[in-house]
Amino acid sequence: MSHAERRASAGGWTAGEALASLSPLSLALALCLLIIGLTLFLRAPIPVDETRYLTVAWEMWRSGDPLVLHLNGAPYAHKPPMLFWLINAAWLVTGPQEWSARLVPALFLPLSVFLTFRLGLSLGDRRIAGRGALVLASTSIFAFMGASTMFDAMLTSAVVMALIGLLRAARGQALSGWMIVALSIGFGILAKGPVVLLHVLPAALLAPLWIERQQVWWRWYISLLAAVTGGAAIALAWAIPSALAGGSDFANELLWGQTSGRMVNAFAHRRPFWFYVLLLPVLLFPWAFATRLWTRQAVSGLWQNRTWRLPAIMAAGSFLTLSLVSGKQIHYLLPMLPAISLLVARMLSRGERAGEGRQGEERAFALMAVLFGAALLVVAGLAPRLPDALPPIHVAPALLLLAAALPLWRLRHAPWQVVPAFAAVLAVALSLEAGMGALAGFDLRPLASRIDPARPLAFVGGYQGEVGFAARLAGRVDVVTPQEGASWRKTHPEGQLVAIFRGDIPHFGDGRPWLERYSNRRIGLWPPLAATGDTKGDAPAAGGR
């Protein structure tokens, strides 16, 4: 009987030994499932991105048109169709349910983690492959964004699969390798657009720096061109019929605005070249705070193994390329994280073998839990006093973090147990906060439940599909200015009107609005004039509260 079996049969497991008994890949996938469950059950879709994409999928479901995407009845060329196709495929089984729509993109979170493990195996180190998968799954920004109704986990899966294909091609399996690259590029373009090339091409073009086998380089680059062409052809098989069906303006936006036009315009946006450098601690949280990662022994071996230069080149090339584009968001960097996670796992393993780093340094994560919990408590105390500056914060997640500090302190094991445990506690705390506190103020489902989809509906100021799916709207939403709100209600007496505002309640005619907090603002739903039965006007005058 092994030591682990004897301890288990004797009932003598410690928390650290229980975690250590699981493979890193098992821990990583379990953490992914935890995060998906927390996301689906505790957090509402966040406006405006998640709610907008659910509405685009809903309008595809209603129209039955898989070629031309629509938002509020108008052709929508800003995103490619893969996410919406997959959601509609899920709805063929479940019907148009929110949980199944949100589950579809979230499943690419564990898929990305598993593909990271496969990439690590292809690089030749099973132990680092598992640890790299665990690093990725416990990286907070990837867990949060990867489980969202967004495109980034899909794109990440495509990028990692393309890297696996490059490795196969480099090792003599040219046909299957380049086919994988072509299919991955095609899927990536259909998932989020040509940005997939910014993540794949640096590693492919700089192949002489990482490939070990002798190559005929002209053949390599011809094959790369063929794979890119093949991937583009896959995307064009949708884009061309879609452009023809959507009309000239839609075609121009789809074929130009989503490729070179968007790239050219991006250089005119606001954020500077060094913006992503400031985000690196957030991008790599919590692993950036593992001090063993920054020892001399850990860092010195990054470039020694030729094959392991592949993830380094991919991450550095993507980072530099995206830094040149002025339009920047932190989730644009997510496809880099599998490569970075494998490098982090390798660096920590090297530092571990060398015995560098202070004993018990993992206790810093217990202290971090205390700091996070204390910060939430402070903000929770200040939020009622500063309602216009701070969202509502619930104290329960803060208390959870404080309570978890002691078990984390006692978990004196390698970072492969401590950091994932901290990440899991943090994920639970933040998900509870999302459902009970700050992000609960963004939940538009109470509003949507009060909207009658059979009535005309108008939004004051702007509309980006916030309630189209949640309210199961069947028609277009009118967009009016604040000055036009009262007159719209008069011309549409059966209609409802929605406005988001600060301070005084706007006056849009008769009828008292239903009001709800919306972050640090308020959102109101004005009833149909025909249903108020009030010709004198019982709504508070402008300036009322």
Side-chain angles (χ1 to χ4, degrees):
M1 182 181 290
S2 69
H3 171 70
E5 289 169 334
R6 287 196 300 271
R7 291 300 300 270
S9 63
W13 286 111
T14 66
E17 288 169 335
L19 287 173
S21 68
L22 299 173
S23 72
L25 179 61
S26 299
L27 279 175
L29 294 177
L31 188 55
C32 289
L33 295 179
L34 171 66
I35 291 164
I36 291 173
L38 292 171
T39 300
L40 295 183
F41 288 106
L42 294 181
R43 178 173 71 74
I46 300 175
V48 291
D49 288 334
E50 289 188 291
T51 52
R52 176 172 57 228
Y53 302 143
L54 288 172
T55 294
V56 173
W58 166 245
E59 296 198 22
M60 177 184 285
W61 174 263
R62 286 192 60 254
S63 69
D65 183 359
L67 287 179
V68 182
L69 307 178
H70 291 86
L71 178 63
N72 198 27
Y76 180 73
H78 296 285
K79 297 296 179 185
M82 181 59 70
L83 174 62
F84 313 111
W85 286 345
L86 294 177
I87 290 175
N88 274 259
W91 283 347
L92 290 174
V93 178
T94 68
Q97 301 294 322
E98 180 190 298
W99 68 266
S100 56
R102 298 176 68 193
L103 180 62
V104 167
L107 288 177
F108 284 89
L109 175 66
L111 178 60
S112 297
V113 168
F114 179 75
L115 290 175
T116 301
F117 173 74
R118 293 295 304 174
L119 178 59
L121 288 183
S122 298
L123 290 168
D125 195 317
R126 185 178 187 87
R127 182 181 65 162
I128 294 178
R131 289 179 170 183
L134 184 56
V135 171
L136 180 64
S138 52
T139 300
S140 296
I141 191 67
F142 187 79
F144 178 79
M145 299 300 303
S148 299
T149 309
M150 303 274 281
F151 309 87
D152 302 285
M154 298 170 59
L155 178 62
T156 300
S157 298
V159 169
V160 180
M161 200 66 210
L163 296 180
I164 294 172
L166 288 176
L167 272 173
R168 291 177 67 91
R171 290 170 176 168
Q173 299 171 287
L175 181 59
S176 62
W178 289 116
M179 284 185 64
I180 290 172
V181 174
L183 291 172
S184 301
I185 290 174
F187 182 87
I189 295 175
L190 289 173
K192 201 176 179 181
V195 68
V196 64
L197 298 174
L198 300 183
H199 297 285
V200 174
L201 287 183
L205 293 173
L206 298 176
L209 296 179
W210 58 266
I211 290 182
E212 294 177 320
R213 293 168 58 103
Q214 189 72 24
Q215 298 286 331
V216 180
W217 289 112
W218 66 265
R219 185 174 297 164
W220 172 272
Y221 289 111
I222 290 293
S223 300
L224 173 61
L225 178 61
V228 172
T229 304
I234 293 172
L236 288 173
W238 160 77
I240 292 176
S242 178
L244 293 174
S248 59
D249 291 340
F250 174 77
N252 181 66
E253 175 65 18
L254 178 69
L255 299 177
W256 173 251
Q258 296 302 307
T259 52
S260 56
R262 172 164 289 194
M263 290 297 297
V264 170
N265 292 334
F267 285 93
H269 292 171
R270 313 185 223 348
R271 288 176 175 148
F273 173 83
W274 43 262
F275 177 77
Y276 282 141
V277 176
L278 301 179
L279 296 181
L280 284 177
V282 179
L283 185 72
L284 301 178
F285 184 84
W287 290 93
F289 295 89
T291 57
R292 194 177 299 172
L293 183 64
W294 308 111
T295 60
R296 175 179 53 82
Q297 180 67 23
V299 175
S300 63
L302 274 178
W303 201 251
Q304 291 177 0
N305 185 298
R306 193 172 183 89
T307 303
W308 275 89
R309 294 178 185 177
L310 170 62
I313 291 171
M314 181 271 164
S318 297
F319 187 85
L320 291 173
T321 304
L322 292 173
S323 294
L324 291 172
V325 180
S326 294
K328 296 179 176 69
Q329 298 286 348
I330 191 169
H331 58 88
Y332 295 173
L333 300 178
L334 261 58
M336 296 167 35
L337 280 177
I340 294 175
S341 297
L342 288 169
L343 293 174
V344 167
R346 190 163 185 263
M347 292 164 66
L348 283 173
S349 299
R350 288 177 62 86
E352 187 177 78
R353 288 196 299 268
E356 296 191 13
R358 293 179 289 106
Q359 187 69 23
E361 67 179 2
E362 293 81 12
R363 286 179 168 176
F365 291 94
L367 298 176
M368 203 176 297
V370 172
L371 292 175
F372 272 61
L376 280 177
L377 282 178
V378 170
V379 176
L382 292 175
R385 298 174 175 83
L386 302 170
D388 292 333
L390 295 174
I393 298 293
H394 204 280
V395 299
L399 297 177
L400 173 64
L401 284 168
L402 294 174
L406 181 58
L408 287 171
W409 181 272
R410 298 183 63 185
L411 198 62
R412 289 174 287 179
H413 288 260
W416 312 113
Q417 288 85 52
V418 179
V419 181
F422 170 77
V425 171
L426 186 63
V428 172
L430 294 181
S431 296
L432 287 172
E433 187 61 60
M436 302 164 63
L439 291 184
F442 288 101
D443 189 354
L444 292 175
R445 291 176 295 189
L447 168 69
S449 69
R450 290 166 170 81
I451 293 175
D452 184 348
R455 295 181 181 275
L457 180 66
F459 262 63
V460 175
Y463 177 70
Q464 297 189 50
E466 287 91 340
V467 296
F469 171 70
R472 306 299 195 270
L473 297 182
R476 289 177 60 99
V477 174
D478 293 334
V479 178
V480 299
T481 66
Q483 295 75 25
E484 296 170 335
S487 61
W488 183 90
R489 293 186 72 213
K490 290 180 181 178
T491 56
H492 300 80
E494 299 292 330
Q496 296 173 293
L497 181 137
V498 176
I500 299 171
F501 60 92
R502 297 179 189 270
D504 298 338
I505 299 175
H507 184 70
F508 295 123
D510 297 342
R512 292 187 181 276
W514 170 86
L515 299 174
E516 182 80 0
R517 180 157 184 166
Y518 183 67
S519 183
N520 56 355
R521 295 170 291 173
R522 285 193 287 176
I523 191 166
L525 175 66
W526 276 257
L529 281 177
T532 64
D534 184 359
T535 58
K536 299 178 181 178
D538 63 353
R545 289 263 181 195

